[in-house]
Amino acid sequence: MDLHHFDSFDAYADAILDTGARVFLLGSRDGGWRAGQRDVDGIDVQHGIAAVPNLCESVGWPSRLTLLLSQPSPSQTWLNGVPFDRGSLGIVAPGKGFVFRAAGPNEWISIAVPAGSALFSGSGLVAQTLRQWARVTNIVQTDYLQLAALREAALMSMAPACPPAIGRRVIEQRLSDLVASRVPHGRGKGRPGSPMPQLCETALAAVREQGRTVDVNDLCKRMRISERSLRDFCQACFGMGPGHYLCLRKLHDVYLDLAHSANRRTTVADCFQLHGYPYSTYAAARYRALFLETPSETRHRFDLHAQPG
């Protein structure tokens, strides 16, 4: 399947995962976004490629267990602060918030298996394992050869010439083989009971619910951790301190507002204030450093796109 090209991070975010994903730039570059999706007889398979460092926040499909495949080359990637290696399989539990971060160019595949699938039924090893995985977002360690086989099955299933029913059977067989090959003590890199998944979900819920008003103190109270622990958590999960992370979110909110708002009577300064980011020369400079254009240029560029040809 040919992947669709997207011109910007926000268009890419709208196309992936289908769960209200948000993508944030982590450097002064945009572009090189590609993604494709296919319904493989009820299993949703997506394939994405990003050419720049980025941070993706989303929520797992409510009625599906999502398997996330990402290689640590050419750039390191993380799920909820835990790094991928060549044998890592990301597990996104149904309805749970998660953070996927990439330090540079990266490629990923997601396989969303319906919770009502026959794979989850019965008392066999595969069913027990999948039901256990569906409880919490995490990274599990697998045989990297079996993981590679699952990846190839996902890519094959996306080929237009592959009948969906056959694609689904191959994916299910490769997934069953992967589960069967895992050693009994195989675990993710985090300790049993690691609070990272719960902390990530709580942090994302706080910023979604409180929006631009959330601050560092709010996060500490909501997550029930100290400011020092919050700094450690944000560095692991988001790759930056909590203040920097909240500012990054606000700058992206300003960008999206300037790019897509129909109310052109609002000034650039008002737009910054609306999203809780006091407007100043420094604020404008940070905006330009991230998006490679001034706020006024963003608005003017999208005004030109909106004009009839």
Side-chain angles (χ1 to χ4, degrees):
M1 168 180 283
D2 292 333
L3 302 184
H4 183 73
H5 175 78
F6 299 93
D7 293 330
S8 65
F9 68 92
D10 50 319
Y12 172 77
D14 289 340
I16 63 173
L17 301 172
D18 196 31
T19 51
R22 290 205 63 183
V23 173
F24 302 94
L25 298 177
L26 295 180
S28 300
R29 287 182 294 167
D30 195 1
W33 309 98
R34 290 188 288 159
Q37 180 271 344
R38 192 184 190 200
D39 182 343
V40 183
D41 196 25
I43 296 178
D44 184 272
V45 181
Q46 297 194 36
H47 181 201
I49 297 175
V52 298
N54 69 93
L55 179 75
C56 176
E57 299 177 357
S58 192
V59 178
W61 291 64
S63 58
R64 296 171 183 262
L65 173 67
T66 302
L67 311 176
L68 185 61
L69 291 72
S70 175
Q71 292 298 309
S73 176
S75 302
Q76 183 65 62
T77 55
W78 296 261
L79 176 64
N80 286 359
V82 180
F84 281 89
D85 61 32
R86 69 174 185 168
S88 297
L89 175 64
I91 306 296
V92 178
K96 302 296 185 181
F98 68 93
V99 177
F100 176 74
R101 176 165 58 95
N106 64 97
E107 178 182 4
W108 56 268
I109 295 172
S110 69
I111 305 170
V113 183
S117 166
L119 289 174
F120 289 82
S121 302
S123 58
L125 175 63
V126 173
Q128 291 184 37
T129 300
L130 294 184
R131 291 197 297 266
Q132 180 182 11
W133 285 355
R135 296 173 185 170
V136 62
T137 294
N138 201 0
I139 278 185
V140 297
Q141 291 303 120
T142 69
D143 183 296
Y144 75 92
L145 294 177
Q146 296 292 344
L147 188 64
L150 178 61
R151 180 182 186 278
E152 290 304 314
L155 293 175
M156 183 203 74
S157 74
M158 296 185 73
C162 179
I166 293 179
R168 175 171 182 147
R169 286 201 296 270
V170 174
I171 288 176
E172 290 180 340
Q173 184 59 57
R174 294 294 179 264
L175 178 56
S176 298
D177 293 343
L178 180 146
V179 171
S181 70
R182 298 183 69 232
V183 292
H185 62 275
R187 298 183 183 275
K189 291 193 174 183
R191 298 187 305 273
S194 168
M196 282 298 288
Q198 292 79 11
L199 288 175
C200 283
E201 187 174 3
T202 303
L204 294 181
V207 296
R208 283 196 302 266
E209 294 168 11
Q210 294 183 242
R212 61 180 179 271
T213 65
V214 69
D215 60 21
V216 171
N217 289 332
D218 293 329
L219 288 177
C220 288
K221 292 177 182 178
R222 185 73 174 266
M223 299 168 69
R224 298 182 179 181
I225 58 177
S226 67
E227 188 169 340
R228 180 176 179 178
S229 295
L230 178 65
R231 287 196 300 271
D232 293 341
F233 161 77
C234 287
Q235 194 64 49
C237 190
F238 305 116
M240 65 193 78
H244 187 180
Y245 167 67
L246 293 176
C247 287
L248 182 74
R249 291 185 62 92
K250 291 176 181 178
L251 282 176
H252 280 75
D253 288 340
V254 170
Y255 173 89
L256 294 176
D257 199 355
L258 290 172
H260 303 297
S261 175
N263 182 11
R264 295 315 193 192
R265 295 182 179 180
T266 303
T267 67
V268 167
D270 289 340
C271 187
F272 271 78
Q273 294 287 352
L274 178 65
H275 293 286
Y277 203 124
Y279 187 68
S280 64
T281 303
Y282 175 72
R286 291 199 64 179
Y287 183 99
R288 184 169 187 173
L290 186 61
F291 301 110
L292 299 180
E293 61 186 9
T294 67
S296 296
E297 288 171 342
T298 299
R299 170 172 283 179
H300 180 64
R301 179 164 56 86
F302 281 90
D303 279 343
L304 290 177
H305 289 173
Q307 291 176 4

